[in-house]
Amino acid sequence: MSATEASAEITAESSPIAVPGPRSAPGAAPPRVPLVHRAAAELVGTGILVAVVAGSGIQATRLSKDVGLQLLANSTATVFGLGILILLLGPVSGAHFNPAVTLAEWWNARRGGAGVTGREVAVYLPAQVVGAIGGAILADAMFGEPLVKWSTHDRSTGHLLLGEVVATAGLILLIFGLARTGRLRFASVAVACYIGAAYWFTSSTSFANPAVTIGRAFTDTFAGIAPGSVPSFIGAQLAGAVVGLALVALVFGRTGTAAAAATAAAGGE
């Protein structure tokens, strides 16, 4: 078995959203991808994701004055970009790019399922936030905008926060539902499609990601969010993650044997 195959398999066993790879021989225990590489994947992946979101937002506003067309362009670019990033970096880090997903996976591990450790959480979260900020700055640089200009786009109203709860809960339900049912091979398509849909069916346009929310505060463009709105948005996202985990338990039952079965099935697909 090659090093690439080993890396893909062991990541699939430890992360609900990793893209599964070939299984090793019974009893084999290939080493985990080194944490430094996983952190780099999370930083780069989150950075590119925010660059896609912010950059396509800037491009859209320059090409059209129609807000509907702007959102269509922004959401389409995000769907394709996110799908590719999950497909590419899933075998390395699990392609979280999202503190809410990382924390939910850590909680899942504490309850007896597959997931990241506390040490990994402490590395993943800063990498995601730094990557998100870097991605926003990169997008501004590519389009000749001020590198750092705080957004003035206020998003603090109650109905937008409800939209974030719904968007994040649905994302967590989808990711861990795929893990429980052994359908991780569809993660790159399913997660990207869900986010694309949530752009349109939620009032908040589905940030659903605390790191991305922080990054988008650094750009005063179509995709930005005012710094004063960031804490409430993150609170809504974390609440949504809790709701999503509760829905996973309600729909799929306890973590234990179901998660183990899903992991085994995913490793063999």
Side-chain angles (χ1 to χ4, degrees):
M1 181 174 63
S2 69
T4 301
E5 291 171 335
S7 297
E9 183 200 353
I10 197 66
T11 307
E13 291 179 351
S14 65
S15 174
I17 64 172
V19 179
R23 297 190 71 183
S24 60
R32 286 178 64 84
V33 176
L35 184 55
V36 63
H37 296 309
R38 285 181 277 148
E42 288 297 300
L43 186 150
V44 171
T46 311
I48 295 175
L49 175 59
V50 174
V52 168
V53 172
S56 63
I58 297 171
Q59 185 78 289
T61 57
R62 293 186 176 183
L63 295 176
S64 173
K65 300 301 181 183
D66 186 308
V67 177
L69 287 177
Q70 292 170 0
L71 186 61
L72 178 61
N74 193 208
S75 60
T76 301
T78 301
V79 166
F80 286 123
L82 179 58
I84 290 168
L85 287 170
I86 294 174
L87 188 64
L88 174 66
L89 298 177
V92 180
S93 68
H96 296 189
F97 315 143
N98 187 336
V101 172
T102 299
L103 290 170
E105 191 180 302
W106 168 76
W107 179 255
N108 184 62
R110 284 175 56 87
R111 304 292 291 178
V116 293
T117 66
R119 176 171 175 264
E120 290 166 330
V121 169
V123 174
Y124 270 40
L125 266 57
Q128 292 159 353
V129 172
V130 171
I133 294 171
I137 294 173
L138 176 61
D140 284 338
M142 287 192 293
F143 287 92
E145 298 286 339
L147 295 186
V148 175
K149 185 177 181 181
W150 298 115
S151 175
T152 56
H153 194 162
D154 181 74
R155 301 177 188 264
S156 59
T157 55
H159 69 281
L160 297 181
L161 299 181
L162 176 60
E164 277 301 282
V165 173
V166 172
T168 311
L171 178 63
I172 297 300
L173 175 61
L174 171 62
I175 290 171
F176 288 86
L178 290 174
R180 295 289 186 90
T181 56
R183 290 177 168 82
L184 293 175
R185 64 189 182 279
F186 299 121
S188 59
V189 173
V191 173
C193 286
Y194 172 79
I195 291 298
Y199 256 89
W200 291 91
F201 80 77
T202 65
S203 57
S204 64
T205 66
S206 183
F207 287 44
N209 185 327
V212 168
T213 301
I214 293 171
R216 287 168 71 164
F218 283 74
T219 176
D220 190 20
T221 58
F222 177 80
I225 177 173
S229 301
V230 168
S232 56
F233 248 56
I234 292 177
Q237 291 156 359
L238 295 178
V242 173
V243 172
L245 287 173
L247 290 174
V248 171
L250 177 65
V251 174
F252 299 102
R254 293 171 58 86
T255 300
T257 56
T263 301
E269 292 169 344

